Amino acid sequence: MNKRTNLFAILLAAASVAAASSALARDSIEVVGSSTVYPFSTVVAERYGRSSGKPTPKIESTGSGGGMKLFCSGVGTNYPDITNSSRRMKASEFKKCQTNGVKDVIEVHIGYDGIVIANSIKVAPMKLTRKDIFLALAAKVPGAVDGELIENPYKTWKDVNPALPATAIEVMGPPPTSGTRDAFAELGLEGGCKKIDWINALKKTDKHAFKEVCHTIREDGVYIEAGENDNLIVQKLEANPAALGVFGFSFLDQNADKVQGSLIESVEPTFESIADKSYPISRPLYFYVKKAHVGVVPGIQGYLNEFTSEKAWGEEGYLAEKGMIPLPIKERRAMAENTRGLVPMTGKEGLK
């Protein structure tokens, strides 16, 4: 009798756990992450929702860093299924995922985007170099002799480069949690930092010091963190034509009636210049998927199939119309095959 009672208790407990899991299950996909990838994932979600008859995936813009933090916090329907990112996952984030049980992560490289430094169409476009960008925005800049660093003294663009206008340096851009901020620091500031020979040499002798100098943005009010809302930056640029704003090319493309991109090293940010990589500040875009959630949260496989279809991310696809720069055809085909086959990362993909 006791054995039967124990068996009944075990079965009852198992049924309770199953019922609780069922109650916690979601019927819609949850996506977090990059504000740059947000508009692309939103249009895919809307198309997928309409064509499949399933609930439209919920997309939230948290920034790449914020999205990674949420994504890597655990497995289960209390955590997001997918995170968008305007930079590649960091080795430290991959490790955090593994530590928290997020073992099988699928990396999807979806295309490219350029980072633009824009201003109002009411004034002339700026013509900058990456060295100008570094000298204008770095916390510390070279002093009078090699090896000397001083607090950034520059107030106007003309202070940085005599060929530039004598307008005050005022740049609105994303916060540290943003993948756009990470990419801007790596491609824009560091790109200019390398133009200074003694700092470039530091990369071989002291990588930490090199990154500290090249990636640290000044905090004296010249660079203004505008959150993850690129619309707010555009509004402020319209109101203040002397200011500049940092955001993705796709957003510039959608607001070409209000703002224009600065030329960087004499190259204008365009679909073509980013695709052929002649524009100096361009970056890859990604999203990451939990394999453990596929088949548990309905629709994930269908969403992946929609995103990696030629009608979506192809050269003539609807994402290209939104400003995303497609991958070359061979890369797209290989990425689509890996994504649809749910092939997880190994951690040896060259994460930094």
Side-chain angles (χ1 to χ4, degrees):
M1 190 71 175
N2 285 340
K3 287 183 179 180
R4 287 183 179 179
T5 302
N6 289 340
L7 179 60
F8 178 75
I10 291 168
L11 291 172
L12 185 62
S16 297
V17 169
S21 298
S22 177
L24 288 172
R26 289 185 270 104
D27 63 356
S28 64
I29 302 165
E30 290 190 358
V31 183
V32 295
S34 166
S35 61
T36 302
V37 182
Y38 174 83
F40 304 136
S41 57
T42 297
V43 70
V44 173
E46 290 169 350
R47 297 270 187 135
Y48 172 67
R50 285 200 302 268
S51 64
S52 68
K54 289 183 167 33
T56 299
K58 297 175 182 177
I59 319 292
E60 184 181 359
S61 176
T62 63
S64 297
M68 288 292 182
K69 186 175 181 180
L70 292 166
F71 180 81
C72 289
S73 292
V75 172
T77 52
N78 289 328
Y79 303 100
D81 310 303
I82 297 170
T83 189
N84 296 323
S85 186
S86 54
R87 58 162 172 78
R88 197 170 204 185
M89 178 180 275
K90 297 177 181 178
S92 59
E93 291 165 338
F94 182 80
K95 185 178 179 181
K96 183 184 177 185
C97 269
Q98 302 299 301
T99 301
N100 291 336
V102 186
K103 298 293 185 182
D104 290 328
V105 177
I106 301 155
E107 179 182 70
V108 187
H109 180 192
I110 61 172
Y112 294 94
D113 186 34
I115 298 175
V116 300
I117 304 170
N119 64 353
S120 169
I121 59 171
K122 298 172 186 174
V123 295
M126 291 285 280
K127 298 178 181 179
L128 302 170
T129 66
R130 284 172 289 178
K131 185 177 179 180
D132 295 335
I133 294 167
F134 169 71
L135 292 176
L137 296 179
K140 292 187 176 181
V141 294
V145 296
D146 284 1
E148 180 187 20
L149 288 169
I150 59 173
E151 295 293 326
N152 196 323
Y154 303 128
K155 303 298 182 185
T156 72
W157 287 102
K158 194 173 186 68
D159 294 338
V160 168
N161 181 343
L164 295 174
T167 52
I169 302 168
E170 183 178 349
V171 179
M172 288 170 279
T177 54
S178 169
T180 300
R181 168 77 166 260
D182 289 341
F184 179 60
E186 182 176 347
L187 301 170
L189 272 73
E190 184 180 315
C193 199
K194 289 177 180 176
K195 303 294 183 183
I196 299 161
D197 291 342
W198 73 264
I199 299 180
N200 190 38
L202 196 62
K203 189 172 185 179
K204 294 181 180 178
T205 58
D206 192 336
K207 287 184 179 180
H208 178 76
F210 172 81
K211 188 172 181 179
E212 183 78 14
V213 172
C214 295
H215 287 219
T216 305
I217 293 178
R218 61 197 293 185
E219 296 181 347
D220 57 358
V222 166
Y223 181 89
I224 304 156
E225 290 183 7
E228 297 287 354
N229 189 344
D230 292 337
N231 282 303
L232 182 61
I233 296 179
V234 170
Q235 290 169 16
K236 290 187 174 183
L237 294 182
E238 282 190 287
N240 180 7
L244 297 176
V246 177
F247 42 75
F249 167 76
S250 58
F251 203 77
L252 171 71
D253 195 46
Q254 293 162 29
N255 290 276
D257 59 328
K258 303 182 185 93
V259 291
Q260 62 194 340
S262 303
L263 277 69
I264 307 297
E265 262 109 58
S266 302
V267 181
E268 183 182 353
T270 64
F271 190 98
E272 292 74 21
S273 66
I274 296 166
D276 68 18
K277 299 180 182 176
S278 60
Y279 181 71
I281 312 179
S282 58
R283 40 107 185 245
L285 303 177
Y286 300 88
F287 67 80
Y288 294 85
V289 188
K290 287 175 187 164
K291 185 173 181 177
H293 285 203
V294 179
V296 177
V297 176
I300 294 178
Q301 184 74 63
Y303 176 78
L304 299 182
N305 292 348
E306 174 69 24
F307 213 125
T308 58
S309 67
E310 281 298 297
K311 66 179 179 180
W313 75 351
E315 291 177 12
E316 304 297 327
Y318 58 77
L319 293 177
E321 292 175 3
K322 292 285 184 181
M324 190 183 82
I325 316 301
L327 297 172
I329 182 65
K330 287 185 179 179
E331 288 183 39
R332 283 204 310 276
R333 287 174 177 168
M335 188 58 61
E337 184 177 345
N338 280 358
T339 303
R340 295 177 183 200
L342 304 178
V343 178
M345 299 170 68
T346 63
K348 298 178 181 179
E349 287 82 2
L351 307 183
K352 295 179 181 180

